[in-house]
Amino acid sequence: MTTELEIGLYIFILAGFLGYHVITRVPPLLHTPLMSATNAISGISLIGSLVVAGANYSRLSTVLGFIAVTCSSTNVVGGFLITDRMLKMFKRREEVGIQRRRFKPKLLLAFPVLVVAFLVVMYWIRRSGTDTHSSSAALSVVALRYFYILSAVLFILGLKGLSSPKYARKGMLLAAFGMVMAIAGTLFHPEIVNYRWITLGLAIGSVVGGSMGLRIPMTAVPQRTALSHSLGALAASLIGISEYVRHVAVGLDSVKMTTIGLEVVIGSLTFTGSLMAAGKLQGILPGAPIR
């Protein structure tokens, strides 16, 4: 057993205990927003999608990564937006009026502008020449490490905020900011050399997810959550398939083969199951058995 695998298992076990204690403190009143919020956070599969889409492993891997980035970003953006809409319902009427007066539509342009500016800076750093190659590589490793630590802390604080309706919306804002930090840190990954498909996938997924999160009525939240969950599971399956295709030529040990196999199997089951659930909730598929 390698040292990295041991550390990963320790983190997995500690995360399980921490998640149990945080989630059990969420009151039943917030269980529906919790379901949508955890679904959005599960879109962390977007991190692996970004690496696969931008690493230029092969044409097939790039295509699978692009589709995974689009699906994952749809899940993330739509999940956080619909959760925010649900949590607004717990505010008093006068608080909602004050929030609407303070809201400025131009602020919506801040996120895409920051993302584009960040991608331009990353492209300039990568193409600045061989003299700064070692320094930029060291910067990438350090930034990747601390961005991930910060995003993990923000995810925990975001879920902790759901323990009270008073702080639930602020907690979700922290969780959404943690997702932005995770994406920004991944863009420093040393294996990413091409940002074209990453930018296109993020743009398409943000538009589709934003439309789903802002336009779908609140009565259709269960089927929207199921559909969004299926997209996140599809992204995880595509990442596993890409990793298998990339490593099968050089050989796979039992540990990697087991993890990749579980990723594809569980992701595929979740994708088809969530898709069927969304169809039944929407009334597209009948609830009775099909003969």
Side-chain angles (χ1 to χ4, degrees):
M1 183 178 292
T2 61
T3 304
E4 293 183 357
L5 182 58
E6 292 177 353
I7 294 175
L9 290 176
Y10 288 142
I11 294 174
F12 178 77
I13 295 172
L14 292 176
F17 280 107
L18 180 62
Y20 171 78
H21 287 287
V22 171
I23 299 301
T24 51
R25 298 179 184 274
V26 177
L29 181 67
L30 296 175
H31 277 181
T32 302
L34 173 66
M35 177 183 64
S36 181
T38 52
N39 180 41
I41 294 176
S42 69
I44 198 68
S45 57
L46 174 61
I47 302 307
S49 306
L50 295 175
V51 178
V52 174
N56 282 345
Y57 294 137
S58 65
R59 181 174 298 179
L60 177 60
S61 295
T62 302
V63 172
L64 294 177
F66 166 72
I67 299 174
V69 168
T70 305
C71 294
S72 298
S73 55
T74 301
N75 181 22
V76 170
V77 175
F80 279 121
L81 287 178
I82 200 69
T83 304
D84 186 69
R85 286 178 60 191
M86 284 189 286
L87 294 177
K88 284 181 180 179
M89 300 171 63
F90 295 96
K91 286 183 172 293
R92 294 192 297 269
R93 184 173 300 177
E94 56 271 17
E95 293 179 350
V96 175
I98 294 173
Q99 184 181 4
R100 287 179 178 177
R101 288 194 296 269
R102 292 180 178 177
F103 178 74
K104 296 180 180 180
K106 293 182 179 179
L107 294 177
L108 293 175
L109 299 175
F111 178 71
V113 170
L114 289 176
V115 171
V116 172
F118 188 81
L119 290 173
V120 170
V121 172
M122 289 299 301
Y123 181 82
W124 179 79
I125 292 176
R126 293 293 177 87
R127 303 301 182 186
S128 58
T130 57
D131 295 337
T132 59
H133 179 71
S134 58
S135 61
S136 62
L139 175 64
S140 299
V141 174
V142 174
L144 185 67
R145 182 185 304 120
Y146 289 104
F147 270 68
Y148 283 174
I149 294 174
L150 177 61
S151 64
V153 173
L154 291 174
F155 286 152
I156 296 171
L157 293 177
L159 293 176
K160 180 65 172 63
L162 286 173
S163 60
S164 171
K166 183 178 179 180
Y167 302 104
R169 192 158 181 259
K170 294 181 180 179
M172 281 302 96
L173 291 177
L174 289 177
F177 185 67
M179 184 63 71
V180 174
M181 291 293 98
I183 295 173
T186 306
L187 296 177
F188 281 100
H189 199 286
E191 294 185 12
I192 296 180
V193 296
N194 186 1
Y195 296 94
R196 180 187 308 167
W197 297 108
I198 291 177
T199 306
L200 184 59
L202 287 174
I204 296 174
S206 299
V207 171
V208 176
S211 301
M212 293 173 59
L214 295 176
R215 296 182 178 274
I216 289 180
M218 300 303 295
T219 54
V221 168
Q223 50 264 47
R224 190 224 64 85
T225 303
L227 179 61
S228 183
H229 196 198
S230 68
L231 294 177
L234 176 61
S237 299
L238 294 178
I239 295 172
I241 294 172
S242 174
E243 288 298 297
Y244 174 78
V245 172
R246 185 165 70 94
H247 291 96
V248 69
V250 297
L252 287 169
D253 55 27
S254 58
V255 176
K256 289 184 178 180
M257 189 62 197
T258 302
T259 54
I260 291 176
L262 289 175
E263 180 181 9
V264 175
V265 171
I266 296 175
S268 300
L269 288 173
T270 306
F271 168 67
T272 54
S274 300
L275 203 60
M276 296 290 287
K280 289 185 176 181
L281 290 170
Q282 188 64 27
I284 300 175
L285 297 176
I290 300 175
R291 297 183 179 177

